[in-house]
Amino acid sequence: MKLNRTFLFTSSLLSGIFLLAAGTLFNGCKSKPTQAYELTGDTIADGKALVQLHCTKCHSLVPVNALTKTVWTVHSLPAMSQFLGISTYGTDYYKADKDTAGLSLLEWQSIVTYYKKMAPDTLMPAKAPSPLLNDWAGFSIIKPAKVNDICFTTMVASSPNTGKLYTGDVVSGYMTGWTRDLKESGQTKLPSAAVNAEFVKDSTGAEQAIISCIGRLDPVDFPNGRIYNVALGSKNQQPTEVASDLPRPVQTLNADFDKDGSNEIIVLGQGHLRGGIFLLKPTTDHKSYKQFTISSRAGAVQAVTGDFNKDGWLDLMVLFGENNEGLALLLNDHKGGFTSKDLLNFPPTNGSTSFQLADMDHDGKLDLIYTCGYNFRDSRILKPYHGLYIFKNLGDFKFKQTLFYPINGCTKAIATDFDKDGDLDIATIAFFADMKSKPAEEFIYFEQDKPMNFKAHAVPVSQNGRWLSMEVTDHDGDGKPDIILGNYAAGFLFQPNFTPNWDEHTPFIILQNNTGNKHYR
């Protein structure tokens, strides 16, 4: 059974590898002709100028030292070529989607020579601002019973109403409920992996979950994602379809954006080359939804709601983690739509993965906690700029970076006051950690012991699984937030000559919070 499940997933993944290999830096771009550049004969100067001129139309400039010489020339430049009118073997499938800039071969050769000469042979690791302490930091581990199959946990979610846990699995397709004592409590069969749950109550007060079923987990354009409503209190928990044919939906938000008394659903369709942000508005009989497109920008990975301009209407803040990466503010226009404003832009090598708004320094303004580290496109090397960032809000959501802690392949960060000392701490996971040399960075707890000073604790759980998802909730009801880590145990390996040795049969673990107890001081 182990071999069958592994093969089933790997076969699905490999069917998209050809697209992945051509899709890190320049996918989704429809480049338009620009002013001519006259070559000077200085290949470095010419290459730099041409890159600045042509390669910033679709995304932020990628520094030449962001990737190695080999990655640039073997992977990223061939991926880029098609969008600049240069045909390379194996890229014809893009032709219908691009409006080329029509570079000459001499101009293209100048670009290639520039990267060959200026890109580094290797990327040196970044130096952490504080040492990584290997201890339990006041946490202890509890686990459910092992299962027979390999775990491919894509979601861990906790109901704020009941405290019940729910997990999703990409191979089985089940969403599984778990009691507080970690016993299985009901399963809902879904057509694809559940990756997000939004818990709501219906008109009778019964709990429901709006479930995002991604369709394809690997980033390809195959829009078969769906949104379901699951009545969690019913005996059979049969899912009701809300929307279908969506481009890899990764999150839903449920709120009344137009002030008509009924909640709408916002769907983030991350997609790949194509995606978007969609609004599902209930019909007058509340039996179905009508779909509207808020934005056709692909790559959305996470969003939060809030009245960010203080006008009394709910807005959106959205992080885009593919193609044109960045943080955008979508302000409610009071007419059923939104106007977009970019707050931060990131190069597409970042692989942005998560963000949170929180007042880290107690100045009354929401600061930005940001992670980047998705590392399964064409440039699958460890990147010293992947990790945890904190940006201070200077006012009106103008951000200034104040902290960077390097974490290879960082996937998610959640900030809360874990130790109840009055300031915010941060928990991080890294699905694409340096598992060969530094597996401890797969989970790090950042304890804020002085204002904006953090002790980084590598809690020793790397042998218990590989963490794709994380949730924070008070699972044991003691008033302190606990941490749930979802184990995606096989696949998506990116380091050569590496054989995993973690537990593959425990779907999740809980880090029980004992911080503040005298025993742990």
Side-chain angles (χ1 to χ4, degrees), residues 76-95:
S76 297
L77 288 177
M80 168 185 172
S81 63
Q82 61 222 299
F83 298 106
L84 298 178
I86 304 297
S87 178
T88 59
Y89 177 77
T91 60
D92 288 346
Y93 75 99
Y94 273 109
K95 285 186 177 179

Side-chain angles (χ1 to χ4, degrees), residues 115-173:
Y115 284 110
K116 281 184 176 180
K117 289 187 176 181
M118 300 304 294
D121 292 323
T122 59
L123 300 184
M124 299 304 295
K127 185 177 180 181
S130 60
L132 196 56
L133 307 173
N134 291 286
D135 58 23
W136 284 93
F139 291 90
S140 57
I141 188 172
I142 55 176
K143 299 181 286 187
K146 290 189 177 185
V147 297
N148 293 327
D149 295 328
I150 295 176
C151 297
F152 293 92
T153 305
T154 53
M155 178 188 77
V156 287
S158 174
S159 165
N161 306 308
T162 65
K164 191 173 179 179
L165 298 180
Y166 296 89
T167 60
D169 185 282
V170 72
V171 173
S172 73

Side-chain angles (χ1 to χ4, degrees), residues 438-451:
K438 202 175 181 182
E441 66 185 354
E442 290 181 45
F443 175 81
I444 301 176
Y445 165 60
F446 291 88
E447 174 193 3
Q448 188 172 181
D449 60 343
K450 292 182 291 187

Side-chain angles (χ1 to χ4, degrees), residues 123 125 132 134 382 407-408 432-442 458 462-463 494-502:
L123 300 184
L132 196 56
N134 291 286
L382 299 175
I407 305 171
N408 290 297
F432 293 103
D434 181 1
M435 294 173 285
K436 290 176 69 173
S437 304
K438 202 175 181 182
E441 66 185 354
E442 290 181 45
S462 62
Q463 295 300 304
F494 72 108
Q495 291 179 289
N497 304 316
F498 172 73
T499 302
N501 59 356
W502 51 69

